[in-house]
Amino acid sequence: MNTPALVSILRQGHYLIASIHTALDDSQMIRFQQDLIEQIGHHRSRGVIIDVAALDVLDSFGSLSLRNIAEMARLRGALTVIVGVQPDVAFAMVELGMGTGSVHTALDLEEGLVYLESRVANAVTDMTLGISG
Amino acid sequence: MGGLDGEHDVAALIPMVRRVVGARVTDPDVADDLVQETLVRVLGATQRVEPGMLEPYAIVTARNVVASMWKAQDRHRRNQHRVVDLRPAAAPDENLLAGEEHVAIAEALGRLSERERRTLLAHEVTGQDTRTLADELGSSAGAVAAQLNRSRARLRVEYLLALEQREPETDRCRPVLLALSSGERRRQQEVDAGRHLLECQLCARLSQPLLQRGHPRDDQVRIPIHSDADIVRARQGARELAARLAFSKTDLTVIATAVSEMARNIVRFAAPGEIVAELLEAPRLGVQVVARDTGPGILDVEQALTDGYSTYHGLGMGLPGARRLMDEFAVASEVGRGTTVTMTKWQPEGRR
């Protein structure tokens, strides 16, 4: 690809840090979803951080995609945190009637890492109980 | 072989041809060209012309050459500033195209009413001003100018139809094209021009030159919606337009989100369609977004506006969600024809 990457998925120890750099259309979002799920298996990751700070809009499809990613990641044995939801985006999501459901969120990357550190040790127990966040 | 003789005879004609052309054309370069053209034609005719008749033949030819140049100039002057760009394209089919355009213009003029045509030609060709025309017609200069504008609008439409050699398929085509040609926005809304252009391929094509004419609208963006990539373009276009007013960043995101939902609906159920965002000045400053599609339509609009109602996997946020985001929201749907959603966000009072 000649164009700058739309998303980057970086490995950080047991975790994957996925940053969305620009507004994604639906097909790009679905590809991102597939890539991420694949990489979880490849790196045997225990946690995933999705940074959405660059997203201008999270509409119904965007929100649902994030929820789906988190659920697929959970089924693959990794815990997901969404970080960087902008205040305007948060406002619009709530007005629209969408949210990230049960997916955990954190203010920024640092908070997200702190959360994963605190939870991944217990994650296995949580998952067997069906609690993901 | 009379060739050499012929050439000699023609050379002897040069001073005379120069005089004939020079008496009619002042520009020496143009005159030179015309003299050359005349001589070429005379030379080509030497075999056919009786020996003694070469001189009168040359005089007639020279006059004809000058006259056809005038005609061409006049035609160019009449046409160049109105209908389409008639500047010749540097292509081999140039002459053919120019011929077709000429025929199309003549046909279009023929479709105007006698009175319309006379007034238009008197103004455009003879150069009579609107005041003189108003006196003749027992009307006012303003009324004549308005009439001229309508005539030009009609001429543009008839010209395009004549050029395509097509008759409109429905009786809605002409009113829509006329409204677009005249650039009257109210009229365009009355005849629902946007929807017609989605439905009628002929008008969609013919409207291109009409819409490109004149000043490009800078208070409106129009984004055709075909595939999911267009969703992103639509919401970004609407956001950029709305950003020219004093909306807060949150409001801009809210508008973009609502546009995104509407564009998504079109892609899911009803492509192709379009999103048109437009700045409003009255009754207040605001941005209006119209989402039009050519889909199956919504059977029960009330139900579609209810939270949780959905025809695809678990999301019922499209219409009711967008309605919550915007200040005004209206759905007009006709089963089998499509849906038009019109939604508005007003700029908060007191912001400048």
Side-chain angles (χ1 to χ4, degrees), chain B residues 21-97:
Chain B
V21 174
R24 290 165 172 78
V25 179
T26 45
D27 186 330
D29 292 336
V30 177
D32 235 32
D33 285 349
L34 295 176
V35 169
Q36 292 298 329
E37 194 180 331
T38 307
L39 292 175
V40 168
R41 288 190 188 189
V42 173
L43 204 55
T46 45
Q47 305 289 334
R48 287 182 280 119
V49 179
E50 300 275 325
M53 294 301 286
L54 206 56
E55 188 175 307
Y57 181 84
I59 295 174
V60 171
T61 305
R63 283 186 192 148
N64 281 345
V65 166
V66 172
S68 50
M69 179 196 73
W70 281 343
K71 256 189 233 156
Q73 277 181 349
D74 185 45
R75 188 166 65 228
H76 187 63
R77 187 177 62 84
R78 259 189 297 138
N79 295 340
Q80 66 177 1
H81 65 312
R82 297 296 178 205
V83 183
V84 285
D85 190 355
L86 285 182
R87 270 174 302 182
D93 52 358
E94 190 182 312
N95 279 337
L96 188 65
L97 287 176

Side-chain angles (χ1 to χ4, degrees), chain A residues 23-27 56-57 59-61 64 88-89 91-92 95-98, chain B residues 228-229 232 235 239 249-250 253-254 256-257 260-261 264 268 317 321 324-325:
Chain A
L24 301 184
D25 66 35
D26 298 7
S27 352
D56 61 329
V57 159
D59 65 358
S60 54
F61 179 82
L64 185 75
D88 319 318
V89 175
F91 180 87
E95 287 283 290
L96 182 65
M98 289 303 291
Chain B
D228 61 323
V232 176
R235 70 184 187 220
R239 178 195 282 262
K249 197 163 166 269
T250 304
T253 303
V254 161
T257 307
S260 195
E261 289 299 318
R264 169 150 288 117
R268 285 288 153 103
M317 298 308 156
R324 274 194 298 276
L325 290 168

Side-chain angles (χ1 to χ4, degrees), chain A residues 96-118:
Chain A
L96 182 65
M98 289 303 291
T100 56
S102 58
V103 182
H104 196 84
T105 54
L107 188 62
D108 54 20
L109 197 57
E110 202 180 326
E111 295 288 329
L113 280 169
V114 169
Y115 174 79
L116 283 185
E117 285 295 338
S118 71

